[in-house]
Amino acid sequence: MKITAVRATPVNIPLEAPYLWSYGSLAGFSKTIVEIETDEGLTGIGEAPSHAHAEIINATLAPRLIGRDAIDIASAELICLPSWQGISNNIDYGLVRAFGGIEMALWDLRGKLWNRPLHDLLGGAVRRAIPVTDYFSFREKAGPYGGETTPEEVVDYCLGLKEAHGTTFFEGKFYTADIAPSVRMLQMLREALGPGTMLRIDGNMAHSLTTARQIAREIEPLNIRNWEDPCGSLYDLKALREHTSIPFSVHSLDLRQAADLGVPDAVVTDIATHGGLGRTVRFVGACEQLGLDFWCYSGDSGVASAAYLHLCAAMPHIREPNQSLFRMQPLDVIEEGPFRPQNNVVPVPEGPGLGVTLSQEKLQRLHRLFLDQGPYNKYHDPDRPGVFRRLPLS
């Protein structure tokens, strides 16, 4: 099965309302959707995590792949990526993430050719309902959505999710320079949702070690399941460990440093960060060997989300709930999307390959959104537009 065409299309995936985090306000995500056509009439789909990867794929990687065997993923990597030591030395991670979108599409082609879901190709499903969290944060107002600017309003939002959708797994942003409203929000959530509800928080490196120590004293009694990126480095996390038993997670891929320092407790990444599914599977195995939990983070379209649902189905070690912004995403590029959790889980797609169908109409609509709006600015500060924040905030 030969590759006849490769297309990469940048799209905007909006959120129903911008959420506030350590860097400012985030209105959505700009991604790249990958399509790989073959001489047997099959098309594989993948996703790269930034709009900037579309240019890398279309101009650099696509010409190298035309005429190649679509099943031979190892050869595709050899012609698309230099050695990993060279990539690390030159910090050329954009190329890795761009190839991650291509590799995902090649796995989708394998599944379609052999008429098997991706999780079967990864060894078989050990679970078919994937646990996920629903997300909360202070949010800006956008039409009928958002506008949660006080702890009381965030609590009402989460109680609404629990009543309507059975949500008892929550994760939210803890980022404010004045920590009092964030602490109060967590205290009120624990009181309102009860001791059986999972609460995880994401600091996005908003705070210094000194402030993180203060936060730890305040929230230690609240049974926080996990605290992501409370500080700016693993060395800070090691020092913070002396002051709290709350588990930590990070996005860092440096497992050697994690093993040396004894932190974090979990790693949270996406598939393309590793250069594709194959390397992600090996990374999860390394986490298991080191006793580190692993879960996937959020903000993708239904294409990459389907891939991580299959990954979680096939990997016994991915036991903790994955991050999910599904509830906040009104639009998607797949016919079946956006996914919607119910009672804390999303079913694994069961069709061949990724098990989802790319909608050309939706793809073009979200591509037009990208062309009209430009890429989303992940670092927009509504308090000081045009100026980038500096961390830590406090």
Side-chain angles (χ1 to χ4, degrees):
M1 186 168 64
K2 303 299 183 182
I3 296 172
T4 57
V6 178
R7 286 189 304 278
T9 306
V11 296
N12 275 359
I13 308 291
L15 295 171
E16 63 182 14
Y19 70 64
L20 301 174
W21 66 323
S22 62
Y23 293 103
S25 173
L26 183 60
F29 302 87
S30 298
K31 304 288 184 174
T32 292
I33 304 301
V34 180
E35 299 170 86
I36 299 181
E37 296 180 354
T38 68
D39 60 357
E40 296 195 14
L42 296 175
T43 299
I45 57 175
E47 180 178 335
S50 168
H51 67 281
H53 298 138
E55 176 67 19
I56 297 173
I57 292 170
N58 287 329
T60 303
L61 302 184
R64 302 177 186 179
L65 293 165
I66 304 301
R68 294 275 179 171
D69 182 356
I71 299 301
D72 192 349
I73 294 176
S75 290
E77 181 175 325
L78 283 172
I79 64 169
C80 288
L81 295 182
S83 75
W84 281 75
Q85 284 180 315
I87 289 170
S88 299
N89 185 57
N90 293 297
I91 320 179
D92 196 6
Y93 297 116
L95 193 62
V96 173
R97 292 172 171 87
F99 180 75
I102 287 173
E103 197 252 21
M104 188 183 298
L106 295 177
W107 277 99
D108 185 44
L109 278 170
R110 284 186 177 191
K112 288 173 177 174
L113 179 64
W114 298 330
N115 196 32
R116 305 298 300 179
L118 176 58
H119 59 69
D120 278 1
L121 307 187
L122 298 177
V126 296
R127 59 181 72 86
R128 296 183 184 274
I130 306 305
V132 298
T133 60
D134 263 322
Y135 229 80
F136 64 87
S137 182
F138 296 122
R139 296 194 293 173
E140 296 184 79
K141 185 73 172 174
Y145 302 106
E148 298 88 14
T149 60
T150 67
E152 290 80 5
E153 288 167 331
V154 172
V155 170
D156 287 343
Y157 173 76
C158 291
L159 286 173
L161 294 182
K162 182 177 182 179
E163 181 178 354
H165 307 291
T167 304
T168 57
F169 296 166
F170 291 95
E171 180 164 350
K173 297 298 185 187
F174 191 112
Y175 69 91
T176 49
D178 174 8
I179 67 172
S182 290
V183 169
R184 180 61 180 152
M185 175 180 65
L186 286 185
Q187 291 170 337
M188 293 181 66
L189 282 170
R190 174 55 70 208
E191 181 179 356
L193 296 171
T197 294
M198 177 186 293
L199 288 179
R200 300 197 311 210
I201 56 173
D202 185 356
N204 292 118
M205 299 180 286
H207 300 110
S208 66
L209 176 58
T210 299
T211 302
R213 286 171 173 151
Q214 180 183 353
I215 295 168
R217 289 193 297 270
E218 299 277 358
I219 68 175
E220 182 77 30
L222 300 178
N223 188 25
I224 303 301
R225 180 74 168 195
N226 184 78
W227 189 359
E228 186 169 289
D229 282 330
C231 302
S233 75
L234 297 190
Y235 294 99
D236 286 342
L237 288 192
K238 181 178 181 180
L240 184 60
R241 168 60 70 231
E242 300 175 8
H243 300 269
T244 181
S245 62
I246 299 171
F248 304 137
S249 64
V250 299
H251 298 313
S252 170
L253 307 184
D254 193 340
L255 295 184
R256 286 185 176 180
Q257 189 180 61
D260 288 342
L261 297 178
V263 288
D265 304 279
V267 181
V268 185
T269 71
D270 66 19
I271 289 169
T273 293
H274 303 276
L277 278 155
R279 288 187 176 273
T280 304
V281 167
R282 298 199 289 277
F283 185 86
V284 174
C287 288
E288 182 176 10
Q289 182 69 21
L290 291 173
L292 301 176
D293 277 318
F294 176 96
W295 57 85
C296 299
Y297 66 39
S298 52
D300 300 314
S301 84
V303 177
S305 297
Y308 91 56
L309 291 172
H310 283 280
L311 177 74
C312 296
M315 301 295 292
H317 184 61
I318 306 179
R319 302 162 297 185
E320 289 288 308
N322 298 272
Q323 293 178 352
S324 161
L325 287 168
F326 295 146
R327 195 85 61 199
M328 295 183 174
Q329 294 174 280
L331 302 175
D332 206 342
V333 298
I334 62 170
E335 297 284 3
E336 302 83 356
F339 294 113
R340 290 290 184 256
Q342 190 67 29
N343 297 320
N344 306 317
V345 299
V346 174
V348 182
E350 289 296 341
L354 294 179
V356 295
T357 306
L358 183 65
S359 164
Q360 288 298 324
E361 185 276 327
K362 292 181 177 181
L363 176 65
Q364 292 309 313
R365 177 183 178 186
L366 294 181
H367 177 53
R368 175 53 58 186
L369 203 61
F370 172 84
L371 295 176
D372 291 344
Q373 297 178 335
Y376 288 118
N377 180 4
K378 297 173 65 175
Y379 306 104
H380 168 66
D381 186 348
D383 299 322
R384 299 179 67 197
V387 178
F388 293 111
R389 288 183 182 177
R390 291 293 180 261
L391 302 184
L393 299 179
S394 63

